Amino acid sequence: MGSPITTWENAQAYFTGAGGFTPTLFLFLAVAAVVVALVVGHRHESHSYTEVDK
Amino acid sequence: METELAEMAAKLAALEESVGWTTTIAVEAFYWWCTGLMVIIHAGFLAYEMGASRKKNVLASGIKNILAFAFVIPTFYFIGWWIYLAFPGGLIPNFEEGAAGLPWSEAMGPNLADNASGIFWAAFTLFAATTASIFSGAVIERIRLSSFIVLAVLLGSVVWILGASWAWHGSGWLLTEWGWHDFGAAGCVHMIAGFYALGVLINLGPRIGKFNADGSANDLRPHNMPFAVTGLMLIIVGFFGFLGGCIIYNGTGQWTTIFGNPATLSAIGFNTLMCFAGGIIMAWLLTRDPFWMMSGALAGIFGAAPGLDVYYPPTAFLLGMGGATAAVYGARFIEKLGIDDAVGAVGVHGFAGVFGVLAFGLFASGYPNGDYPATSFLGQLVGAGAMFALGFIPGYVFSKILSVMGILRIPESAEVLGMDRAKVPAEAYPEDGVSVPA
């Protein structure tokens, strides 16, 4: 996590955590967030339509 | 003397470095602004889609359109760029070529040694979102939002970009084996999105009230025609960014197309405006309807899009008229088949896209492609078949699965009541008594 570099001299990939484990963790969290958002949206939608039928 | 030579050499080296940076930054800046202009396409689609909806569904249509954009962006990051880089040869991925597009690649984030990956990813992400928005308009007022998002992600982050890898890539098999040419993406963007929408529409079914028992169609009119027409004009504005993103800014030499041939922005300037005008005039002659006039403008651009880099401008004007004709008659044809395309997306993007791709084969065969086959009608025909299949089959199959699962379409009660009242915690026109039951 944090800066992967100690100097800007000859720096290349400098995004947070580059070369370490955390980018993979955040990638999986981002994928999970997309999936969870979709599932929550689906459940809200189903609930709303059930309410209409009541 | 030696000191002077050393000073001159140092100045020359500094000058070379300066020119190199100017070139790099200019290329990056060019695609940055193309991407920014392409966001206007989505402002246009949002206005167009909400305007085309009836009052009772206007916010639900807006939400659907906005979420298509939002979900395509991260999913395109997760998988889309890798597909583009890995699949130019067909259906077997090239893992070595694709590696730079994997989301854990060092190229897929801030990197001082790479001024290209992010800006090209951004531009292609906007192309991806455009395909999802094209599909979005066709299915308004009865599709379930969550199923729509799944289908939009499939189109924007998988299907179209596979088509782009085949048909819009310097090593794509349609170019290397068939001499395919499609400057403005009439095939991989418009045909794929249009026919994907057609595949979904078949399974989704028409809106309640669209067709009568005898098969005749009713006109479910847009609730706000001025808003829809203005949205269409905004899409045209954004298309100048889209078409700018279709040309390669090499920095140190002439522009080239994705297919490697030299080109100029001047050519695109001539032909884009001419086919735009041809599309409007033809749609006006055929319909007198401002909604279709502006749709005709889009169809006119798609009718000439494959050859915007090479056409004689009056030819582009006439092809614009042809694109609009294909769109209007294409839309009427699918309506006669009992398919309810709420905004004419299949006609405008699918039929006009096919027209444009094939017209290039008729009017622009013989342009050289280096070591690859020259442009030809056969190459365009093969490409058109591939783009149709790549759009239609996934759209049909995946929407069929969702339909069988019972989650493709909203319940009839909600459709009659209106989607806004059923599930949106806001009102579009609170002083107006929105959500009028059908």
Side-chain angles (χ1 to χ4, degrees):
Chain A
M1 194 59 187
S3 172
I5 59 171
T6 53
T7 172
W8 289 104
E9 197 75 28
N10 298 321
Q12 293 193 4
Y14 65 93
F15 52 86
T16 47
F21 166 71
T22 50
T24 309
L25 174 65
F26 281 96
L27 173 63
F28 278 109
L29 287 173
V31 172
V34 168
V35 174
V36 168
L38 190 56
V39 171
V40 169
H42 175 76
R43 290 179 62 181
H44 168 259
E45 201 174 18
S46 298
H47 174 73
S48 299
Y49 293 140
T50 306
E51 289 293 307
V52 170
D53 285 332
K54 278 183 182 174
Chain B
M1 185 66 180
E2 280 184 14
T3 309
E4 287 174 352
L5 280 175
E7 282 178 1
M8 284 180 68
K11 281 182 182 173
L12 187 60
L15 188 63
E16 280 181 342
E17 186 181 359
S18 171
V19 169
W21 276 113
T22 302
T23 301
T24 300
I25 300 299
V27 170
E28 201 174 18
F30 174 76
Y31 290 107
W32 169 268
W33 292 115
C34 286
T35 304
L37 267 176
M38 277 195 277
V39 176
I40 297 174
I41 290 177
H42 296 279
F45 271 121
L46 181 62
Y48 164 55
E49 202 173 311
M50 289 199 296
S53 298
R54 287 166 291 176
K55 266 187 178 178
K56 63 181 182 177
N57 298 316
V58 59
L59 293 180
S61 293
I63 288 170
K64 181 168 67 61
N65 183 283
I66 294 165
L67 284 179
F69 196 4
F71 274 87
V72 163
I73 292 169
T75 53
F76 193 80
Y77 180 87
F78 299 151
I79 192 167
W81 198 231
W82 175 74
I83 291 174
Y84 181 68
L85 297 179
F87 285 88
L91 291 170
I92 310 294
N94 181 329
F95 290 102
E96 194 176 332
E97 291 292 323
L102 289 167
W104 49 84
S105 159
E106 290 200 340
M108 291 298 281
N111 187 326
L112 291 172
D114 184 352
N115 289 59
S117 293
I119 207 68
F120 281 112
W121 172 82
F124 272 71
T125 302
L126 266 293
F127 291 127
T130 299
T131 64
S133 281
I134 291 167
F135 160 59
S136 178
V139 296
I140 54 172
E141 302 193 310
R142 75 281 206 196
I143 197 168
R144 279 184 73 113
L145 178 64
S146 48
S147 294
F148 165 77
I149 292 170
V150 170
L151 291 168
V153 164
L154 179 67
L155 172 61
S157 295
V158 179
V159 173
W160 100 271
I161 193 64
L162 180 60
S165 191
W166 294 356
W168 222 37
H169 187 297
S171 302
W173 67 270
L174 280 171
L175 167 66
T176 60
E177 295 178 28
W178 295 94
W180 160 266
H181 191 93
D182 182 12
F183 173 83
C188 66
V189 169
H190 300 291
M191 275 188 68
I192 286 183
F195 290 118
Y196 185 93
L198 177 62
V200 175
L201 286 170
I202 290 171
N203 291 314
L204 182 62
R207 290 167 290 177
I208 294 171
K210 175 64 184 174
F211 293 105
N212 301 311
D214 64 359
S216 58
N218 296 311
D219 184 14
L220 303 182
R221 292 182 181 172
H223 93 283
N224 191 332
M225 179 71 91
F227 202 41
V229 172
T230 304
L232 283 160
M233 185 60 95
L234 282 173
I235 296 173
I236 299 284
V237 175
F239 257 86
F240 281 82
F242 182 107
L243 294 170
C246 296
I247 196 165
I248 308 292
Y249 184 175
N250 293 295
T252 54
Q254 182 61 282
W255 302 86
T256 55
T257 70
I258 286 173
F259 308 94
N261 61 288
T264 65
L265 268 183
S266 287
I268 315 307
F270 274 131
N271 286 327
T272 304
L273 289 174
M274 289 294 272
C275 61
F276 160 78
I280 292 176
I281 291 169
M282 194 65 195
W284 172 65
L285 290 173
L286 292 173
T287 69
R288 310 281 192 247
D289 178 340
F291 185 88
W292 271 102
M293 285 165 63
M294 287 312 305
S295 295
L298 284 172
I301 293 176
F302 310 150
L308 289 174
D309 54 328
V310 298
Y311 283 140
Y312 175 52
T315 306
F317 178 80
L318 294 172
L319 289 175
M321 298 183 93
T325 305
V328 170
Y329 283 101
R332 290 176 184 171
F333 172 68
I334 67 158
E335 189 171 90
K336 280 190 176 158
L337 296 177
I339 296 167
D340 177 15
D341 176 358
V343 297
V346 179
V348 171
H349 298 272
F351 283 76
V354 174
F355 172 83
V357 163
L358 297 181
F360 184 90
L362 285 176
F363 296 104
S365 286
Y367 280 96
N369 275 318
D371 294 336
Y372 304 136
T375 59
S376 67
F377 182 78
L378 182 61
Q380 298 303 111
L381 187 64
V382 169
M387 295 300 104
F388 173 83
L390 192 52
F392 181 79
I393 294 171
Y396 181 84
V397 170
F398 283 91
S399 62
K400 186 72 178 175
I401 292 169
L402 293 169
S403 178
V404 169
M405 292 168 69
I407 55 171
L408 181 62
R409 187 169 177 135
I410 63 172
E412 186 177 333
S413 54
E415 188 175 344
V416 171
L417 177 68
M419 295 171 81
D420 285 8
R421 190 182 287 177
K423 70 186 183 79
V424 180
E427 291 187 14
Y429 306 103
E431 296 165 352
D432 205 32
V434 76
S435 303
V436 180

